[in-house]
């Protein structure tokens, strides 16, 4: 993944380190501020650490928001690269063991390209789960939520109270639902002139 060149010693900057809280695979986050960086935010993996490079002018609130944005982008890139049908099925099995006591074991889990109005579906009589290809490239915790949603449906049809109680076992349910609602809302917005996404998925411009 592309990384910015190291800052020279003459470049004023501040570095802070914290633990990841958004489901990223990295266990620690290092934020490096630089007065030479004006508009772009970059992030890359460095062993078990994620390094996020931001402009020095950012407030603490902006820093936290952009750290979350960049963690999601990195996780999305890794999810898109790593999860084929086989990995998806293995992930569903692990999620079943972790959140549903292994009570549900789907016979098949696969990506499909014919689901443009829903994120996932299942057929309880066949024990099959299908995920929309639109999820590819989204953060892993979002993909995991949709898998858990469909696993829960293999146990409980419909969206009654029992279904939602079952899904409460997955701790990032509300976060993932919010992410997907944001995607749907963004798809309905017209393109705004003058906006652009600079750089790679691990580098974006700030307003």
């Amino acid at each position: 993944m592309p990384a910015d060149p190291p800052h020279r010693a003459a470049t004023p900057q501040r570095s802070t380190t914290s633990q990841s809280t958004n489901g990223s695979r990295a266990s620690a986050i290092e934020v490096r501020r630089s007065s030479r960086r004006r508009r772009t935010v970059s992030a890359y993996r460095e062993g078990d650490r994620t390094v996020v490079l931001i402009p020095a002018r950012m407030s603490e609130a902006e820093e936290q928001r952009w750290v979350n944005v960049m963690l999601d982008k990195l996780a999305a890139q890794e999810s898109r690269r790593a999860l084929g049908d086989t990995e998806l099925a293995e992930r569903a099995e692990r999620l079943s063991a972790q959140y549903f006591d292994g009570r549900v074991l789907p016979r098949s889990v696969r990506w499909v390209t014919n689901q443009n109005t829903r994120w996932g579906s299942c057929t309880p009589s066949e024990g099959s789960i299908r995920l929309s290809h639109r999820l590819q490239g989204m953060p892993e915790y979002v993909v995991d939520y949709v898998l858990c949603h469909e696993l829960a449906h293999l146990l409980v049809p419909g969206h009654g109270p029992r279904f939602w109680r079952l899904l409460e076992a997955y701790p990032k349910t509300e976060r993932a639902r919010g992410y997907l609602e944001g995607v749907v809302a963004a798809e309905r917005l017209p393109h705004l002139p003058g906006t652009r996404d600079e750089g790679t998925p691990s580098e974006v411009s700030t307003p």
Side-chain angles (χ1 to χ4, degrees):
M1 189 166 296
D4 281 8
H7 295 289
R8 294 184 176 86
T11 303
Q13 65 180 37
R14 181 174 65 84
S15 177
T16 59
T17 302
S18 61
Q19 295 298 310
S20 173
T21 58
N22 81 328
S24 166
R25 69 170 175 82
S27 60
I29 305 160
E30 181 178 347
V31 178
R32 297 177 185 171
R33 289 174 174 260
S34 171
S35 59
R36 295 179 62 185
R37 181 174 289 269
R38 301 299 182 184
R39 290 181 54 83
T40 61
V41 178
S42 300
Y44 60 91
R45 304 293 193 197
E46 191 174 77
D48 63 351
R49 180 183 302 272
T50 300
V51 178
V52 182
L53 310 173
I54 66 173
R57 65 178 172 80
M58 279 192 177
S59 67
E60 294 295 325
E62 289 176 320
E63 173 184 315
Q64 186 57 54
R65 181 171 71 87
W66 278 102
V67 165
N68 287 334
V69 167
M70 300 312 291
L71 288 175
D72 279 350
K73 283 182 173 290
L74 286 172
Q77 189 175 62
E78 290 159 358
S79 175
R80 180 171 60 247
R81 183 172 59 241
L83 292 181
D85 285 352
T86 300
E87 291 81 8
L88 201 62
E90 292 172 351
R91 197 172 196 86
E93 185 174 342
R94 289 196 300 271
L95 291 169
S96 175
Q98 185 172 1
Y99 299 114
F100 302 104
D101 299 321
R103 287 180 292 160
V104 53
L105 293 175
R107 295 189 184 95
S108 68
V109 185
R110 58 191 176 91
W111 297 106
V112 294
T113 58
N114 61 352
Q115 289 187 165
N116 294 316
T117 60
R118 51 187 173 179
W119 300 112
S121 63
C122 69
T123 305
S125 62
E126 299 176 355
S128 62
I129 291 176
R130 298 166 296 279
L131 263 58
S132 171
H133 72 288
R134 294 186 300 149
L135 288 165
Q136 292 176 321
M138 292 189 187
E140 289 182 357
Y141 74 89
V142 177
V143 177
D144 284 354
Y145 162 72
V146 178
L147 281 172
C148 284
H149 189 106
E150 301 308 328
L151 286 168
H153 272 315
L154 292 181
L155 293 171
V156 180
H159 292 95
R162 184 170 166 238
F163 170 83
W164 291 112
R165 283 196 301 269
L166 196 62
L167 196 54
E168 283 175 359
Y170 181 64
K172 296 182 177 66
T173 289
E174 290 305 315
R175 179 181 174 87
R177 283 170 60 84
Y179 184 99
L180 292 173
E181 287 169 1
V183 170
V184 171
E187 287 176 348
R188 293 172 180 168
L189 292 175
H191 175 71
L192 300 178
T195 62
R196 60 195 177 102
D197 183 13
E198 293 185 0
T200 68
S202 59
E203 177 175 283
V204 298
S205 293
T206 64

